[in-house]
Amino acid sequence: MSGERHLWRWRSNPLRRREDVLEAWIVLAVWAVVALVGAVVAPLTFRTAEHRFAEQRAQRHPVRAVLTADAPQDIAAQWSADGRVQDTVRWVAPDGTPRTGHTLVDPSLPRGTTVHLWQDDRGRLVTSAPTDRAEARIEAGLLAAGAVLVAAAPVLGAGAFARARLDRRRLALWDREWDLVGPS
């Protein structure tokens, strides 16, 4: 019975208006487009995100760096949100050349302390470790879901706008009919 209820707008009915049929087709078209957009956008976004995370895993390598000076302990202006301070470190790039740069470390570490960081293929320090496979799949899935929502929003908005216009038209028709029937 519930299946019949959902199809009432297409059935032959003396109370069915042209606007009802048009609304049913609009709803069907909107959901068909949303399904199509989802079927295209979700896998495309998922594969792209997974590929990007795989590139990060391939390009980022752990490196042991050594502090070149004592890490500051009371310089509040240089503290980051996680309580670490910026200090200079020395490490060896993948091509064997020595490098020096700045990174965030725990405060009060003495000069010569070894810290574990990440570098890219060119030997530049990167801010974080690459995303592991399990996290990458979860993040790629969330990005795909978000992309589908973003891509579907204009379609759903256009459908809602069209249905609102049909509602206004139906109300105007009811007002005209009431003006004819109401006085009698």
Side-chain angles (χ1 to χ4, degrees):
M1 173 112 180
S2 70
E4 288 179 21
R5 227 174 84 179
H6 293 293
L7 298 175
W8 72 269
R9 290 188 172 116
W10 281 292
R11 288 188 316 185
S12 182
N13 182 332
L15 299 177
R16 183 186 70 188
R17 296 165 298 218
R18 191 174 67 122
E19 289 80 10
D20 296 333
V21 174
L22 187 56
E23 180 182 24
W25 283 109
I26 288 171
V27 169
L28 180 66
V30 164
W31 285 109
V33 170
V34 167
L36 180 66
V37 165
V40 171
V41 170
L44 182 65
T45 304
F46 186 84
R47 281 194 304 268
T48 302
E50 268 203 327
H51 177 71
R52 181 68 184 119
F53 290 132
E55 280 181 346
Q56 281 183 356
R57 284 192 298 278
Q59 294 171 354
R60 291 184 183 181
H61 312 285
V63 64
R64 292 172 53 179
V66 178
L67 290 177
T68 60
D70 292 341
Q73 44 185 318
D74 292 327
I75 305 174
Q78 293 183 357
W79 283 52
S80 68
D82 62 359
R84 298 187 300 166
V85 294
Q86 189 164 359
D87 202 1
T88 306
V89 293
R90 187 178 63 247
W91 73 97
V92 178
D95 63 1
T97 59
R99 299 281 174 97
T100 303
H102 297 283
T103 190
L104 294 174
V105 296
D106 292 330
S108 302
L109 290 177
R111 177 178 192 249
T113 301
T114 300
V115 292
H116 298 279
L117 305 172
W118 290 88
Q119 66 180 337
D120 63 12
D121 287 337
R122 296 180 189 161
R124 296 177 301 194
L125 291 180
V126 292
T127 57
S128 62
T131 307
D132 67 28
R133 282 187 172 83
E135 285 179 5
R137 290 188 68 80
I138 292 169
E139 285 187 36
L142 290 172
L143 287 169
V148 169
L149 289 174
V150 168
V155 177
L156 292 170
F161 178 76
R163 290 181 70 197
R165 298 276 305 196
L166 284 172
D167 284 343
R168 261 191 266 150
R169 182 176 170 147
R170 276 190 285 251
L171 287 173
L173 289 172
W174 285 341
D175 282 344
R176 273 190 271 155
E177 289 173 9
W178 183 251
D179 288 341
L180 293 173
V181 177
S184 57

